[in-house]
Amino acid sequence: MIKKLLYRALGFPKWQGPKGNTPPQRPKETHPLSANIDRNKQDLQQVFDHCADIVYRDIRINVNKPIKAFLVYAEHLIDSKVGNESILRALMSVSPEISIANAEIAEVINERLLTVMETKTTSDLLDLVNQVLKGGVALVLEGSSTAIICMVEGGPERAITEPTVEPGVRGPRDAFVEDYKTNLALIRRRLCSSRLKVEIFELGEITKTEVAIVYLKGIANDKIVEEVRKRISRIKIDVVQGGNVVEELIQDEPFSLFPLVQWTERPDKAASFLAEGRVDIIVNHSPLALIVPITFVTMLQAAEDYYNEAAFTTFIRLLRVAAVNITLLLPAIVVAVVSFHQELLPDKLFNTIATVRQGLPFPIFLEILFVELTFELLREAGIRLPRAIGQAISIVGGLVIGQAAVDAGFIGPLAVVTVSLTAIASFAIPNYSAGTALRILRLFLIVMSALLGGIGIGLGLMFILYYLNGLRSFGVPYLAPLAPWVPGDWKDTFVRVPWWAMLTRPRLWGAKEPVRQDLDQGARKPDEGESQQ
Amino acid sequence: MFIASTAVLIVPVITTTEAKQSAWIVTFTFPVIFGYMVLWTVYKLGNRFPGLSIVQYSEIILGTFVGKTLGVLIALFWLFMNILVIEEYTDFLRITTLPLTPTSVLTTIIVLLSLYGARQGLEVIARSAQFTLPLFLLIFFVGLILTIPRLNLGWLLPVFEDGVIPVIRGSVVPSTWYGQVVVLVMLLPLVNKPVETKRKGVIVFAAVALFLTIDIVFVIATFGPELTSKLMFPLWSMFKYAGYRDFIQRLEVLGVFIWFTGIIIKTTTLDYLICQTTAQVLGLKDYRSVLYVLAFIQIPGSLIFFTNSIALKEFLGTYWPPIAILFELGIPIFLLIIAVIRKKRTGAVK
């Protein structure tokens, strides 16, 4: 229903999309290459009309009878060094002894002359065009209706750097980059198994973005893999700008406040998710891998958890649970207690608060709302600004506004303290997307508690509980393993047990091969171990 | 539809939420027997007609017309029960925490929230119950432990001072709470492991009985029978007493809070049941369309029926038990007997 309304609001008379506004359905065209080289060149020049970065290079291959040929490629999409070495030199310095019959020109050149790792042949002009645009060098030969495409992609690319969004102390230091092949390599390097399967789809009428589904066969649930495959192949869109487009098109709920797809920039995290039986989705030009299915507790896990000691991690995880609760509830509770349930405070605390709040012009609800909004503004401004100016913002925002507003008596220190604590707690949640969801719900709860006090918070929480319980990520209940109750999966949620106790894979999404490792590999003292043997 | 077998978990929440405010139960044996009878009947019926709800098999047993009439009556029963629950709840809130808030606001919000939950489906309700149950138990037991220093076990004696009759009379009302397992007549076909339901049902019964007994023992030992019967919400008052030194105090807020989640889940379940029953009687494909109508009935309904808590308590004590017993035990047993006589069944003989 909301979908319908939204489509209405956007000006579509019917939400199914009216006839005039459907995207053009282009049939898959084909245009065979001809054996006449000049004709082919003309055709290509017509297709690449006004494309200044497309280069044509005429050459002559000196075999027993010289063959006219030309190369066509996009200037900055190829590695010109490899192109020079392996294509031009290979073709131009052939000895004239090699004899080629007319029928098999393309085949012989491909098999004997070109020293390029990856080549393809095509007899379709439009396919050739696509390959050229993806960084191929096409070799069109006289007297052959088959062209050879040498994949020598290159050009500008970012080097692998340290993770910036999810940094760690003890873990590996590499992060995904924009190129999906590099990203696949980073995962493949970590999981040296032929069971790691990679399936590549091409999405986007214009962008032709490669989207790879990565999973471990025999560990990931086939149904989920099939579902991912189905949902991705259903996408018909013009432009895939980044991973987020795919994320929003494949998730279970049309309007979800909480992320139903996890993302990470760390290959180690992506790989470990695969080993748990989940599915990674890697979108070209996006430095983030998408992961499904996920649950709410995935939001509380950081990659660093698995490189630190189990006991310490458990402590940190409990701290994060507290952080979630503070982020969500603290301002609402303060509003409720100060304006509805003063009797809940111990006498001394009540006196303190009453003294502080004396002479303040606004009710606590407005104060907290004001400080909250100021903080959100600061955060937003801080993200957009260049780093150097960002510093100034934090000084103006934090010190000047905060201090001055309190000194002037507009707002009380209670509101400032509350919001600051909330802000700090919200930064302690590892998943950025979950943090944003909690921020919105926090405002909702503040309003509820201003209306009905503690009962309002309770009603709001029940609403959130119903909402969360209704969510699913690729069929997996969002609040699992809390509800439905799966005690076996608790070992990696609020606690993190040592590795020797991580005996089974999570059961929620029906990972096959549930047992991960041998029983009883725990640490033991040397003499005990010997006596047991 | 995938429903965890834990749908049964809703039942204890439903049953105990009611009992919270009533410490004037002096016994737990008769209600448990009553409840067990209900459970047994429901289970037998479910066994006879696997995958069917009461509306569907009553049509098979009694014929279409009578069956449908019965379905309507059952839907009305849920509706009425739901209005009672909402009424009780808003009443409690009005007295304890929000004296100045207009009741209509509270009622509206609660009804809308529970309709939202019902719209999400039974699975969501079951999981929400599952999520809150541990919290419920935790807070309850923390409250009890902190009351221990104030207990006076002497209050519990003498047993059977006035003979057995008052005990039986006192157990009529609690019986209807246990009898609320009757919700299973609608839920049973949706539970994915019906065979386990009986075993789980018994466990749930034992747990609820234990829970209620502890509750009553503690309340009476804290306040004594005289005071207890005069308090409006004894457990709430007891939580008020609970505390350790000066820094753990006012636990009744937590108590209210957690009881409240139970109530919401209960009204949600009832809403779901009303909609399902109505949809099945009318032969609708999707029960959700009934929800919107329901909102218009329930909000004014719970505002008009009872205007004060005295009337509510009077009604609950006098008129409600016969109705409840009729619907909880009478109708299922009646159906079972007719089914046995007319030899109707769809499931295989076990």
Side-chain angles (χ1 to χ4, degrees):
Chain A
M1 202 175 74
I2 310 169
K3 211 172 180 176
K4 215 167 173 176
L5 283 175
L6 191 80
Y7 274 89
R8 284 260 164 85
L10 290 177
F12 292 105
K14 262 185 184 177
W15 82 271
Q16 283 94 345
K19 279 152 212 158
N21 283 347
T22 48
Q25 295 291 324
R26 295 203 180 86
K28 207 172 156 58
E29 294 170 49
T30 51
H31 183 93
L33 282 166
S34 84
N36 182 345
I37 188 167
D38 294 326
R39 173 114 185 270
N40 282 338
K41 197 168 184 178
Q42 272 170 15
D43 285 350
L44 276 172
Q45 271 163 347
Q46 201 184 335
V47 173
F48 287 127
D49 188 26
H50 292 297
C51 292
D53 53 343
I54 302 293
V55 178
Y56 305 89
R57 171 80 161 86
D58 294 314
I59 56 170
R60 191 177 289 267
I61 306 169
N62 281 319
V63 280
N64 56 347
K65 56 171 172 106
I67 303 168
K68 251 173 76 179
F70 71 92
L71 296 169
V72 58
Y73 57 93
E75 204 174 356
H76 305 294
L77 293 184
I78 63 157
D79 186 338
S80 54
K81 204 172 155 196
V82 180
N84 288 339
E85 288 287 322
S86 316
I87 304 174
L88 279 183
R89 184 184 297 226
L91 292 177
M92 293 167 91
S93 59
V94 253
S95 67
E97 280 102 68
I98 298 175
S99 64
I100 300 177
N102 259 344
E104 48 182 15
I105 303 176
E107 205 176 306
V108 173
I109 289 179
N110 191 6
E111 280 175 7
R112 295 183 56 183
L113 298 180
L114 288 170
T115 53
V116 180
M117 289 292 277
E118 191 188 347
T119 61
K120 292 171 187 166
T121 57
T122 182
S123 52
D124 181 45
L125 185 93
L126 295 173
D127 185 32
L128 183 142
V129 168
N130 278 342
Q131 301 292 346
V132 167
L133 292 174
K134 289 215 177 273
V137 174
L139 174 64
V140 184
L141 301 153
E142 187 186 23
S144 166
S145 61
T146 308
I148 306 167
I149 294 144
C150 313
M151 301 310 286
V152 285
E153 310 100 307
E157 211 169 85
R158 193 166 64 94
I160 295 175
T161 50
E162 283 201 30
T164 49
V165 187
E166 301 166 86
V169 180
R170 285 177 68 176
R173 296 275 192 277
D174 49 352
F176 284 133
V177 292
E178 280 76 10
D179 179 42
Y180 82 111
K181 288 190 175 171
T182 316
N183 294 350
L184 285 176
L186 287 175
I187 291 180
R188 174 73 78 178
R189 230 179 251 168
R190 284 181 165 78
L191 301 171
C192 292
S193 163
S194 61
R195 293 161 76 185
L196 181 74
K197 305 295 180 197
V198 179
E199 292 173 23
I200 294 175
F201 294 78
E202 208 169 72
L203 295 185
E205 180 80 14
I206 298 171
T207 51
K208 302 220 168 51
T209 312
E210 288 88 351
V211 176
I213 303 178
V214 188
Y215 59 94
L216 277 171
K217 193 164 178 69
I219 292 176
N221 186 342
D222 294 333
K223 271 188 210 152
I224 289 178
V225 177
E226 182 54 41
E227 186 65 34
V228 175
R229 215 178 275 147
K230 213 169 77 192
R231 288 190 196 177
I232 285 189
S233 39
R234 202 163 49 199
I235 299 176
K236 295 259 183 311
I237 198 172
D238 56 344
V239 170
V240 176
Q241 206 174 5
N244 194 48
V245 174
V246 178
E247 180 185 330
E248 283 177 24
L249 286 168
I250 63 171
Q251 63 188 8
D252 297 47
E253 295 280 323
F255 295 96
S256 175
L257 202 50
F258 283 84
L260 297 176
V261 174
Q262 165 94 320
W263 47 261
T264 181
E265 59 164 354
R266 298 185 62 120
D268 54 328
K269 199 171 170 183
S272 78
F273 275 129
L274 286 178
E276 283 184 343
R278 303 188 212 226
V279 180
D280 283 5
I281 299 163
I282 290 172
V283 181
N284 200 4
H285 314 308
S286 158
L288 302 168
L290 304 177
I291 294 147
V292 291
I294 58 155
T295 57
F296 186 73
V297 287
T298 342
M299 307 293 154
L300 303 178
Q301 297 167 343
E304 194 64 8
D305 292 358
Y306 304 96
Y307 304 113
N308 279 327
E309 289 76 8
F312 176 67
T313 303
T314 302
F315 168 66
I316 293 292
R317 288 246 172 111
L318 292 176
L319 210 59
R320 282 187 203 138
V321 174
V324 168
N325 283 316
I326 291 175
T327 320
L328 195 59
L329 289 173
L330 186 71
I333 288 179
V334 170
V335 170
V337 167
V338 171
S339 45
F340 283 87
H341 315 291
Q342 296 94 342
E343 78 276 9
L344 292 180
L345 296 168
D347 297 346
K348 282 181 189 163
L349 187 58
F350 178 71
N351 285 341
T352 317
I353 290 177
T355 320
V356 171
R357 289 195 50 75
Q358 223 157 30
L360 286 175
F362 301 114
I364 184 86
F365 164 64
L366 284 181
E367 272 183 37
I368 285 197
L369 212 60
F370 172 74
V371 182
E372 191 75 52
L373 289 178
T374 316
F375 170 69
E376 293 291 333
L377 275 176
L378 278 177
R379 187 194 325 232
E380 185 59 23
I383 293 173
R384 300 283 159 261
L385 281 177
R387 217 166 275 173
I389 313 175
Q391 298 267 325
I393 283 288
S394 68
I395 293 170
V396 172
L399 296 176
V400 180
I401 296 184
Q403 194 59 43
V406 172
D407 282 350
F410 293 138
I411 50 171
L414 183 63
V416 178
V417 170
T418 309
V419 174
S420 322
L421 203 58
T422 315
I424 292 171
S426 76
F427 289 135
I429 300 165
N431 188 299
Y432 179 75
S433 317
T436 54
L438 290 177
R439 267 149 70 187
I440 295 172
L441 288 178
R442 177 167 72 216
L443 288 178
F444 164 65
L445 283 181
I446 293 175
V447 173
M448 283 301 281
S449 98
L451 287 177
L452 290 171
I455 299 304
I457 301 180
L459 286 163
L461 282 180
M462 275 315 283
F463 173 76
I464 295 172
L465 185 67
Y466 279 151
Y467 179 73
L468 282 177
N469 267 323
L471 291 181
R472 277 165 177 277
S473 167
F474 281 79
V476 176
Y478 203 53
L479 280 186
L482 301 168
W485 189 262
V486 189
D489 285 359
W490 275 63
K491 58 188 178 304
D492 193 16
T493 53
F494 296 141
V495 298
R496 205 275 278 169
V497 298
W499 273 115
W500 52 263
M502 291 261 189
L503 290 177
T504 52
R505 298 202 163 85
R507 292 200 332 221
L508 292 166
W509 45 90
K512 295 194 267 179
E513 292 191 20
V515 178
R516 234 197 279 239
Q517 57 191 8
D518 275 352
L519 197 65
D520 198 19
Q521 303 189 96
R524 62 192 68 185
K525 290 172 185 151
D527 49 331
E528 265 178 45
E530 276 160 30
S531 66
Q532 274 179 5
Q533 276 163 8
Chain B
M1 197 173 175
F2 163 76
I3 296 285
S5 56
T6 46
V8 190
L9 268 177
I10 299 177
V11 178
V13 180
I14 288 184
T15 331
T16 46
T17 45
E18 285 259 327
K20 280 268 174 138
Q21 41 173 301
S22 317
W24 32 278
I25 331 170
V26 245
T27 180
F28 68 99
T29 43
F30 296 106
V32 172
I33 293 169
F34 175 81
Y36 185 74
M37 276 164 69
V38 175
L39 182 68
W40 182 83
T41 320
V42 167
Y43 178 74
K44 279 285 165 198
L45 277 171
N47 230 0
R48 259 178 182 276
F49 305 97
L52 296 182
S53 74
I54 190 162
V55 180
Q56 288 155 336
Y57 56 66
S58 69
E59 279 179 38
I60 297 176
I61 299 172
L62 302 172
T64 316
F65 179 72
V66 186
K68 281 215 189 289
T69 318
L70 196 64
V72 172
L73 284 178
I74 290 170
L76 284 177
F77 172 67
W78 302 135
L79 180 66
F80 204 63
M81 187 144 107
N82 201 7
I83 289 176
L84 276 181
V85 171
I86 294 171
E87 184 60 28
E88 267 175 82
Y89 180 63
T90 46
D91 199 46
F92 173 78
L93 283 183
R94 199 171 56 218
I95 290 167
T96 56
T97 41
L98 296 169
L100 298 177
T101 313
T103 321
S104 51
V105 175
L106 270 180
T107 311
T108 312
I109 292 184
I110 291 168
V111 168
L112 289 181
L113 181 62
S114 57
L115 286 177
Y116 173 73
R119 195 175 174 280
Q120 295 272 52
L122 182 60
E123 198 185 354
V124 169
I125 305 171
R127 281 203 235 114
S128 305
Q130 209 174 22
F131 189 88
T132 44
L133 192 67
L135 296 173
F136 191 91
L137 291 177
L138 179 78
I139 291 177
F140 183 72
F141 281 109
V142 166
L144 289 191
I145 289 167
L146 290 176
T147 336
I148 286 179
R150 298 172 203 268
L151 292 186
N152 176 4
L153 290 179
W155 288 119
L156 293 175
L157 298 171
V159 180
F160 292 126
E161 196 181 17
D162 300 327
V164 190
I165 302 301
V167 177
I168 293 176
R169 197 181 300 148
S171 62
V172 170
V173 174
S175 294
T176 61
W177 303 331
Y178 284 94
Q180 284 172 5
V181 280
V182 81
V183 296
L184 285 178
V185 294
M186 288 302 293
L187 301 184
L188 207 55
L190 301 171
V191 175
N192 63 354
K193 289 176 197 155
V195 184
E196 273 183 35
T197 313
K198 196 179 174 195
R199 194 172 56 84
K200 285 209 170 126
V202 173
I203 296 173
V204 163
F205 259 83
V208 172
L210 189 70
F211 192 77
L212 287 182
T213 316
I214 293 175
D215 172 4
I216 294 146
V217 165
F218 267 73
V219 170
I220 295 179
T222 312
F223 296 115
E226 290 286 314
L227 192 53
T228 305
S229 58
K230 289 199 178 97
L231 287 172
M232 203 163 262
F233 308 109
L235 192 77
W236 180 66
S237 312
M238 189 183 85
F239 267 57
K240 256 186 160 169
Y241 255 12
Y244 179 73
R245 297 285 165 85
D246 276 345
F247 55 89
I248 304 181
Q249 281 179 339
R250 316 287 310 200
L251 277 171
E252 81 272 14
V253 178
L254 283 179
V256 168
F257 185 76
I258 207 72
W259 178 59
F260 155 91
T261 55
I263 285 282
I264 295 288
I265 288 174
K266 180 167 173 169
T267 61
T268 311
T269 315
L270 287 172
D271 274 347
Y272 177 81
L273 289 175
I274 299 165
C275 295
Q276 274 287 7
T277 316
T278 321
Q280 283 177 7
V281 169
L282 299 178
L284 299 178
K285 260 187 200 148
D286 192 3
Y287 72 91
R288 288 188 174 86
S289 47
V290 189
L291 284 169
Y292 305 106
V293 186
L294 198 57
F296 290 104
I297 303 175
Q298 269 183 4
I299 299 173
S302 47
L303 285 175
I304 292 164
F305 270 149
F306 303 102
T307 40
N308 58 50
S309 50
I310 311 287
L312 179 66
K313 214 159 187 174
E314 175 80 16
F315 180 83
L316 274 180
T318 322
Y319 300 105
W320 181 243
I323 304 175
I325 289 173
L326 174 67
F327 274 91
E328 285 166 1
L329 188 61
I331 287 182
I333 279 197
F334 171 69
L335 280 177
L336 183 63
I337 291 171
I338 302 284
V340 170
I341 293 171
R342 297 179 69 179
K343 296 203 174 65
K344 297 262 183 178
R345 66 160 66 238
T346 55
V349 184
K350 210 166 69 173

